[in-house]
Amino acid sequence: MTIQINTDKTITGEERSSDFFSSQITEALERFESHITRIEVHLKDENGKKDGFNDISCLLEARLEGRQPIAISNQANTIDLAVAGAIDKIKSAIETIIGKSQKH
């Protein structure tokens, strides 16, 4: 499972943060690892340098073997909260898709 993290120009993509988020994603989606070929993370600040409420957006795109990619987004006040919320949402979506395919 390859994880690629992309940021807009207002969010610094520090290597420490990239490693932290990659490990969070890997840990959360560990049991689906054989079904996932790639995860793309897109982080952006909706308001640029201005302050705002829930202005950090995290878009997660999961590419599953033999299926169409799925994408979800989450917005929060901080990068950590945006990523954590997005991970929860994508995990739930993948559980649903993989679970349905295993029942048939």
Side-chain angles (χ1 to χ4, degrees):
M1 174 171 67
T2 304
I3 298 174
Q4 179 179 342
I5 298 179
N6 305 301
T7 61
D8 72 357
K9 63 184 178 194
T10 58
I11 297 177
T12 58
E14 299 172 10
E15 192 170 322
R16 180 190 59 79
S17 295
S18 295
D19 291 344
F20 175 71
F21 294 136
S22 292
S23 66
Q24 274 191 316
I25 292 166
T26 301
E27 186 178 314
L29 303 177
E30 186 174 25
R31 69 182 183 141
F32 306 113
E33 196 168 17
S34 63
H35 299 282
I36 301 171
T37 58
R38 181 183 184 95
I39 298 281
E40 287 194 35
V41 182
H42 300 274
L43 295 168
K44 73 178 186 178
D45 188 337
E46 299 289 340
N47 293 335
K49 295 188 185 271
K50 295 182 280 182
D51 287 337
F53 180 71
N54 282 349
D55 64 337
I56 305 296
S57 173
C58 177
L59 174 83
L60 279 183
E61 182 180 340
R63 299 181 185 256
L64 305 174
E65 277 185 350
R67 294 183 176 85
Q68 291 291 322
I70 58 171
I72 62 88
S73 64
N74 189 54
Q75 289 187 276
N77 288 329
T78 67
I79 295 171
D80 290 350
L81 291 174
V83 171
I87 290 171
D88 289 343
K89 287 180 180 181
I90 200 90
K91 183 177 177 182
S92 177
I94 293 171
E95 282 175 344
T96 301
I97 291 168
I98 301 298
K100 284 182 180 178
S101 69
Q102 290 176 347
K103 289 179 184 174
H104 293 287

